[in-house]
Amino acid sequence: MEVREAAVEGRSSSRAEQWWRDAVVYQVYVRSFADANGDGIGDLAGVRERLPYLRDLGVDALWFSPWYPSPMADSGYDISDYRSIDPAFGTLAEAEQLIAEARVLGIRTIVDIVPNHVSDQHPWFEAALAAAPGSPERERFWFRPGSGADGSSPPNGWQSIFGGSAWTRANGDGEWYLHLFAPEQPDLNWTEPEVWAEHEDVLRFWFDRGAAGVRIDSAALLVKDPALAEERPHSGPGEHPFTDRDDLHEIYRRWRAIADSYDEPRVLVGEIWLPDAERFARYLRPDELHTAFNFDFLGCPWEADRMRRSIDGALAAHAPVDAPATWVLSNHDVTRPVTRYGRADSSFAFESKRAGTPTDLERGARRARAAALLAMALPGSMYVYQGEELGLPEVEDIPHDRRQDPMWLRSGGVDPGRDGCRIPIPWSGDHPPYGFSADGARTWLDQPDGWAALTVAAESEDPASMLSLYRAGLRLRRKAPWGGGAFRWIPSGDEVLAFARGEDFVCFVNFGSEPVALPPGAEILIASNDLEGGAVSQDTTVWLLNPLGQGEEGR
Ligand code: TEU
Ligand code: CA
């Protein structure tokens, strides 16, 4: 393995250890990636067959959304066994093979760890329900008597992120238990040493099997105020009763020590939704997490000024802790970029997500192409969610009886939920299941008619496709045409973002309706859309080489 790794890397060992600083990480949502046995559900065998596709795409690592045994109340984010694989996906032995095979192709594996909650069918929670109030079994969770004279109201007013009360009354003795997500996802009590020990052991379990890192689900939510104080509208930093509490950092320091104890240090990636950039950066101090998702960028509308501020904010927040920023355009929780950017309000927020919003998909696709090249050119690492590279749109007309997402169910259908970005990938052919499953199989979520032009096979043949753009962009990105050069903005009009990295490389994005001429003598490395008589038209990104060569800077 040692020899292979060196060959794959072609980098010095310390550089190889820091691979995560500029990696392209591809998110695999196994259920919807590729189905090898024809039951309509993606599986590990399907991923193994498609590893060459991922190698050719040019990604450095795969992040697998949870693949563990789960009753699937929240698509696998309700785990009943953290040390195995859901039988619908395959076996632990297959997962180990997959990790090793990917590594031979130069692709590392990141597994998803869900420490905030377990499934209600996890042995710990089953034991807690069977045990009496006050028992050690119940101490692993947040069991509390109800409020009101007969205890028939929840212990406090905390609301579930999926809607409704965050408390459900356990059967029999009347105690309530906390669940920040669905009732099938009881929250763990991180004041219990046993909870710490269990998760540290789970980390080692996957690191020992070759996982290069973990993505930490809901990483800012684990610690709760033991007094269960109500949420206050303007709580100060660290004062929210269940978000971003100061005691979280000690957990991640322990995890970092475990990650660092491996010959090739493992990597910790946090899922941290925090508007406060300074609080966010605390998790990325040198002895805590390596990186965290940049949700500000993901939620940012397609507007020059807002994008500039988002990029500036991210770079400024990361610099003091010497952590690389991450650039994320989509994941399994949010509206597909092609759809989001095709709307009058192109920002993303869970609260404002509504079905039936007018959408111009052509415009959205054009912007998504420009956004992809922008993200690829920024300093740091990048995440690509499966199907983003195909330009798949959000599927919005899923029949109600086929929807799976608790966000839709628990909001009474007000929130359209997240099923629309989780549709199985179209690989080939001109009708469902488009090579995802054996012909004739019905996929777990139906694919739309009309995706024939969006299959991997069709897009591979089309040099103007989103897939061709991602392949070409990622290939160039690997060569780092910017060398080690520093990032700096270049003065440009209000509707243009232009930045240099070093002296030779410039990324140029035109948001405005007026085409913008390029500096003379610049060599175009790649463009997200055709130029118009040498000018960059609206919603287009270009990468330029030597555009500054003419000026006083010389070389
Ligand atoms: O998402 C976490 C999540 O939804 C919250 O962080 C929430 O978005 C935020 O607090 C809103 O303000 C992760 C997974 O990505 C998602 O798929 C799961 O459903 C969820 O955790 C529960 O495990
Ligand atoms: Ca299958």
Side-chain angles (χ1 to χ4, degrees):
M1 201 64 185
E2 226 66 274
V3 178
R4 271 198 225 117
E5 284 180 16
V8 162
E9 288 304 324
R11 297 163 168 172
S12 73
S13 69
S14 66
R15 187 69 194 84
E17 282 185 6
Q18 305 252 311
W19 63 274
W20 45 274
R21 286 193 165 268
D22 58 3
V24 176
V25 184
Y26 184 94
Q27 182 188 354
V28 181
Y29 197 77
V30 176
R31 179 167 285 269
S32 295
F33 189 70
D35 169 24
N37 68 354
D39 64 357
I41 298 172
D43 44 48
L44 298 189
V47 180
R48 289 172 65 194
E49 283 172 8
R50 310 286 179 168
L51 284 175
Y53 167 76
L54 297 165
R55 176 201 54 205
D56 295 345
L57 181 58
V59 303
D60 301 298
L62 304 178
W63 148 35
F64 288 90
S65 279
W67 55 13
Y68 318 103
S70 164
M72 302 287 168
D74 182 21
S75 252
Y77 283 92
D78 49 320
I79 300 170
S80 51
D81 178 358
Y82 286 68
R83 296 177 183 80
S84 185
I85 297 292
D86 194 273
F89 298 153
T91 63
L92 182 58
E94 273 183 289
E96 290 177 25
Q97 279 171 316
L98 170 51
I99 293 170
E101 287 164 2
R103 192 56 204 263
V104 170
L105 300 181
I107 302 175
R108 290 179 165 88
T109 296
I110 293 174
V111 300
D112 209 320
I113 293 291
V114 184
N116 181 68
H117 46 266
V118 298
S119 162
D120 62 344
Q121 293 179 36
H122 187 283
W124 276 11
F125 193 71
E126 291 182 335
L129 285 184
S135 59
E137 286 83 359
R138 289 208 168 180
E139 278 306 304
R140 295 169 176 149
F141 299 91
W142 292 95
F143 278 88
R144 287 290 182 280
S147 61
D150 54 356
S152 65
S153 297
N156 70 14
W158 293 1
Q159 294 292 297
S160 156
I161 288 159
F162 289 162
S165 172
W167 297 90
T168 289
R169 198 166 198 183
N171 293 334
D173 49 55
E175 277 202 329
W176 298 67
Y177 69 89
L178 175 69
H179 52 86
L180 291 184
F181 294 94
E184 295 87 352
Q185 295 166 295
D187 278 52
L188 289 167
N189 174 3
W190 277 88
T191 67
E192 279 294 299
E194 214 185 341
V195 172
W196 289 53
E198 168 68 2
H199 281 273
E200 290 169 15
D201 193 66
V202 167
L203 289 183
R204 287 197 183 88
F205 181 90
W206 289 103
F207 292 161
D208 289 347
R209 279 160 185 75
V214 290
R215 176 265 190 191
I216 306 161
D217 187 74
S218 301
L221 302 181
L222 278 50
V223 175
K224 279 83 185 176
D225 173 9
L228 302 181
E230 295 294 350
E231 289 185 71
R232 286 189 292 118
H234 301 294
S235 51
E239 286 175 8
H240 189 275
F242 56 79
T243 304
D244 184 32
R245 295 187 63 86
D246 290 332
D247 289 348
L248 277 162
H249 296 283
E250 193 47 35
I251 299 173
Y252 298 131
R253 286 194 193 101
R254 293 271 292 260
W255 290 19
R256 180 61 177 257
I258 294 169
D260 282 347
S261 73
Y262 285 79
D263 281 345
E264 183 184 277
R266 307 308 201 235
V267 174
L268 310 173
V269 182
E271 191 215 13
I272 299 178
W273 297 80
L274 281 185
D276 180 334
E278 192 274 326
R279 294 292 296 185
F280 174 89
R282 282 170 185 249
Y283 293 86
L284 304 178
R285 290 177 287 198
D287 60 345
E288 299 190 40
L289 310 183
H290 296 75
T291 61
F293 298 122
N294 181 352
F295 289 117
D296 188 72
F297 185 73
L298 180 152
C300 186
W302 185 251
E303 292 162 24
D305 181 52
R306 295 286 297 273
M307 278 285 184
R308 190 195 316 262
R309 276 189 278 149
S310 181
I311 293 165
D312 268 340
L315 296 177
H318 286 76
V321 286
D322 190 30
T326 65
W327 307 104
V328 190
L329 293 170
S330 71
N331 65 28
H332 65 296
D333 290 333
V334 307
T335 313
R336 289 279 193 186
V338 162
T339 299
R340 177 161 55 89
Y341 288 145
R343 294 176 169 169
D345 176 0
S346 56
S347 64
F348 176 81
F350 286 106
E351 307 75 47
S352 59
K353 199 178 168 193
R354 292 290 172 268
T357 310
T359 306
D360 176 348
L361 284 180
E362 210 175 304
R363 181 171 217 203
R366 194 179 164 90
R367 289 171 164 181
R369 296 172 65 90
L373 284 192
L374 167 62
M376 288 178 203
L378 288 164
S381 69
M382 178 181 181
Y383 283 79
V384 179
Y385 169 50
Q386 68 179 42
E388 178 186 316
E389 80 280 20
L390 301 175
L392 298 185
E394 186 84 0
V395 174
E396 298 190 277
D397 57 358
I398 303 172
H400 291 176
D401 63 343
R402 298 286 289 171
R403 289 186 185 264
Q404 318 268 335
D405 185 10
M407 261 192 175
W408 181 79
L409 300 166
R410 286 183 62 86
S411 73
V414 173
D415 185 319
R418 303 163 294 178
D419 294 316
C421 66
R422 300 174 176 180
I423 304 296
I425 294 297
W427 290 93
S428 59
D430 59 7
H431 58 271
Y434 300 106
F436 171 82
S437 284
D439 226 8
R442 183 156 190 201
T443 52
W444 73 282
L445 285 172
D446 296 317
Q447 300 158 307
D449 297 324
W451 271 13
L454 295 174
T455 65
V456 169
E459 293 203 26
S460 296
E461 297 296 307
D462 176 5
S465 69
M466 188 74 88
L467 180 57
S468 296
L469 180 78
Y470 267 77
R471 281 182 178 152
L474 293 179
R475 195 176 311 123
L476 278 170
R477 186 185 187 278
R478 273 215 163 178
K479 293 191 204 144
W482 37 78
F487 173 98
R488 73 173 193 283
W489 292 110
I490 294 178
S492 60
D494 286 352
E495 294 295 309
V496 171
L497 288 194
F499 60 84
R501 292 184 66 184
E503 295 308 319
D504 296 330
F505 177 89
V506 165
C507 176
F508 190 99
V509 192
N510 184 11
F511 290 77
S513 52
E514 286 300 308
V516 179
L518 287 174
E523 180 192 332
I524 297 168
L525 277 175
I526 189 170
S528 65
N529 278 295
D530 287 341
L531 300 197
E532 282 173 21
V536 182
S537 52
Q538 185 165 31
D539 297 333
T540 301
T541 298
V542 287
W543 292 5
L544 303 172
L545 215 49
N546 284 325
L548 313 170
Q550 318 272 328
E552 57 294 335
E553 278 160 315
R555 88 198 58 250

